[in-house]
Amino acid sequence: GFEWHADSLRFFVQLEDGKRDVWTLTGAERVPQQPVYILYNLWHPELHWYPGQGDADYPASDVVLSVDWLSFTPQ
């Protein structure tokens, strides 16, 4: 998920025991100030995203990204 504010942008992963930050941008000069489109993309890094340790094995076959829901809540 992500939280987009005028002066920060936070990307996170929701796990059973809570949210884990992937990365955060701070400062209005680094955060888009105009409306944008949301694009879903699934890609595979060489290392695990969280906790960021160890090799991430590539899938044996193609995978599909399914989105159950998207929510937008303005500030």
Side-chain angles (χ1 to χ4, degrees):
F2 65 92
E3 295 175 357
W4 181 3
H5 303 278
D7 60 351
S8 67
L9 182 59
R10 173 182 170 233
F11 283 82
F12 61 88
V13 176
Q14 178 73 49
L15 302 174
E16 289 182 15
D17 63 344
K19 294 178 182 177
R20 301 290 192 268
D21 287 351
V22 176
W23 54 267
T24 302
L25 290 175
T26 56
E29 71 281 358
R30 300 181 70 200
V31 176
Q33 301 297 314
Q34 302 296 323
V36 297
Y37 292 98
I38 297 174
L39 173 68
Y40 285 98
N41 186 14
L42 181 63
W43 57 274
H44 196 284
E46 293 181 12
L47 297 176
H48 286 288
W49 290 344
Y50 185 84
Q53 299 172 355
D55 292 339
D57 293 332
Y58 286 89
S61 59
D62 289 344
V63 296
V64 176
L65 171 65
S66 296
V67 177
D68 292 329
W69 58 269
L70 171 69
S71 175
F72 170 72
T73 306
Q75 277 182 291

